[in-house]
Amino acid sequence: MSVSSTRNGAGSGVAAALRRFEVMAFVVGIGLLILCVEVVLHYGFDNDSLAWWSPIHGVLYLLYVITTADLGMRLRWSLGRMVGVMLAGVVPFFSFVMERKVAREVQVR
């Protein structure tokens, strides 16, 4: 079942969950890059100008975990698969890769 067909049918919850996941994967990916800059500034240059970003990133990552769990439960992923996708949000650039992979997989369904 493709995402376009699920938007109008019974699987519309999957399409909405996928969209939320895609948005959060992008936001967390950008947020993680900002966090990397913050770490370099803090430890490399003793500059705390982005110190405020860490707690915001933590909240965003928690939302990413929730949206991943929502999508995973709707698609009946194994716990290992869900955790693997969740961990993609802690490796710079990997959330972008995983978002595309998951989106393609859901579209094939």
Side-chain angles (χ1 to χ4, degrees):
M1 178 166 22
S2 72
V3 171
S4 60
S5 67
T6 61
R7 288 197 175 135
N8 299 322
S12 62
V14 172
L18 176 62
R19 185 67 187 141
R20 288 188 298 269
F21 169 77
E22 289 173 327
V23 168
M24 286 312 302
F26 180 78
V27 168
V28 166
I30 296 296
L32 186 57
L33 295 176
I34 295 169
L35 186 64
C36 289
V37 170
E38 189 272 327
V39 168
V40 169
L41 286 173
H42 177 76
Y43 292 104
F45 300 98
D46 200 27
N47 181 333
D48 288 332
S49 60
L50 286 176
W52 55 271
W53 181 250
S54 295
I56 293 171
H57 179 263
V59 170
L60 292 173
Y61 181 73
L62 181 59
L63 292 173
Y64 171 77
V65 166
I66 291 167
T67 59
T68 302
D70 178 43
L71 180 62
M73 285 188 268
R74 290 176 191 272
L75 294 174
R76 298 178 186 244
W77 286 347
S78 68
L79 180 60
R81 174 72 193 270
M82 271 195 267
V83 170
V85 174
M86 290 172 185
L87 289 175
V90 299
V91 179
F93 298 106
F94 199 50
S95 67
F96 301 119
V97 172
M98 189 58 73
E99 180 270 325
R100 288 295 358 132
K101 181 179 178 184
V102 168
R104 275 190 236 112
E105 175 189 304
V106 173
Q107 288 172 352
V108 167
R109 283 185 160 204

